[in-house]
Amino acid sequence: MGAARRFKQVDVFTKVAFKGNPLAVVLDADGLSDAAMQAMARWTNLSETTFVLTPRDAQADYRVRIFSPDTEFPFAGHPTLGTAHALLEAGLVPRRAGTLVQECGVGLVPIELGADGALAFRAPAASLAPLALQHQPLLARVLPGAALDMVCTPLIVTMGIAWLVVRLGSAQACLDARIDGAALQELTQLGVAGVAIYGPHDGADPADYEVRAMFTKHGSLVEDPVTGSANACIARVLQAQGFPDGGETSRAYSARQGTCLQCDGRIAVSYVDGEPWIGGHSVTVIDGVVRV
């Protein structure tokens, strides 16, 4: 049996347990091998499990490695917020008041601590590339019959993890969209993790945008409850495309994700000095130790 290590399972992008995206966090991971980390991530079978390590960079408060059941990611959004939440709850005192600095595969990621308990990370730098014309028919097969808003070009956005970001004509079109898993599996051959679709709500709704993120796992279609990296990619796309909705969305907006899964993830996006920050709340569901 392995050593007892502090462990939490948290729900991210929600104030209400079981409505967000779950994350497993091992708080004392120094000494664990790559194989042990991957084995535990496979065992938890969550979209991600994180392992907190002593930082190598003097500017960082901690270092984190992020594993899915199958591989390691250099960066992911909901693991960033969930790990920070778990560490703060466990008593970590930031080196700089009001800000944590996470070291991960994409470098240093600052995380702001909100007065209401919300956390927000600055979206890493991203590369944006239009989906090539020869792949447009494939996109049509991925989203058969969907009301795509082709005024905003579908973009492959890469920030450690890559998403194809596609805008639909409305939030309802986003909710109604059907996804062809076989076509999406073919799309991933272009080097993307999956497709992130979004559409604007009208003024009467509780969020500015509806978001969905889909990928394939072992050949099966999976929809993610709430996705920090996909929302960060969408934030970069909105900025690059000149905030087509205008108004306040050029400075801050809100998004909802998980509706089709009976979840209610809430994401707050703001732009500070031209950089998007992706924020939300987290709640701890399991708090104890794991022997690994």
Side-chain angles (χ1 to χ4, degrees):
M1 187 69 74
R5 301 171 190 270
R6 290 178 300 165
F7 172 83
K8 292 178 184 283
Q9 190 162 312
V10 301
D11 209 9
V12 186
F13 288 117
T14 181
K15 294 181 179 180
V16 180
F18 315 124
K19 289 293 186 179
N21 199 351
L23 172 75
V25 184
V26 179
L27 294 170
D28 307 298
D30 284 326
L32 285 178
S33 67
D34 292 4
M37 293 183 196
Q38 186 64 76
M40 183 175 175
R42 190 177 305 115
W43 176 78
T44 67
N45 202 33
L46 297 175
S47 57
E48 283 97 10
T49 299
T50 62
F51 299 87
V52 179
L53 303 156
T54 302
R56 293 171 176 167
D57 192 307
Q59 299 179 67
D61 291 282
Y62 61 94
R63 181 163 63 100
V64 68
R65 294 181 66 179
I66 304 167
F67 286 81
S68 76
D70 300 310
T71 192
E72 182 176 5
F73 295 135
F75 171 78
H78 101 274
T80 294
L81 292 190
T83 302
H85 165 85
L87 282 165
L88 291 166
E89 188 178 69
L92 177 66
V93 178
R95 295 170 187 254
R96 175 185 165 192
T99 303
L100 281 175
V101 177
Q102 171 181 285
E103 181 183 350
C104 60
V106 297
L108 299 181
V109 177
I111 302 162
E112 292 293 324
L113 284 57
D116 63 349
L119 302 174
F121 67 86
R122 187 178 67 199
S127 63
L128 284 69
L131 183 67
L133 286 176
Q134 66 264 33
H135 299 309
Q136 297 288 345
L138 176 56
L139 175 59
R141 287 197 288 118
V142 171
L143 294 164
L148 305 185
D149 183 349
M150 296 307 290
V151 173
C152 297
T153 304
L155 295 173
I156 295 175
V157 187
T158 305
M159 55 171 65
I161 187 171
W163 290 94
L164 174 62
V165 175
V166 181
R167 183 184 173 104
L168 275 66
S170 67
Q172 192 60 51
C174 182
L175 291 169
D176 291 342
R178 295 180 294 111
I179 295 87
D180 185 297
L184 181 56
Q185 178 69 42
E186 187 177 343
L187 183 72
T188 62
Q189 301 307 307
L190 303 179
V192 298
V195 61
I197 62 177
Y198 73 102
H201 277 285
D202 63 33
D205 288 286
D208 295 303
Y209 295 101
E210 190 73 30
V211 173
R212 296 175 68 191
M214 280 72 61
F215 57 95
T216 59
K217 180 179 179 181
H218 304 308
S220 298
L221 178 66
V222 178
E223 180 163 354
D224 205 34
V226 202
T227 320
S229 61
N231 277 280
C233 289
I234 290 169
R236 290 286 187 190
V237 167
L238 286 168
Q239 184 179 39
Q241 294 181 333
F243 300 102
D245 300 293
E248 290 300 312
T249 58
S250 64
R251 292 184 289 277
Y253 68 85
S254 61
R256 182 177 70 178
Q257 188 179 348
T259 307
C260 293
L261 301 175
Q262 289 74 55
C263 293
D264 188 23
R266 298 303 177 109
I267 305 97
V269 179
S270 60
Y271 292 83
V272 180
D273 297 327
E275 296 293 327
W277 290 74
I278 314 302
H281 289 84
S282 298
V283 293
T284 299
V285 179
I286 299 172
D287 192 350
V289 297
V290 62
R291 295 191 179 277
V292 60

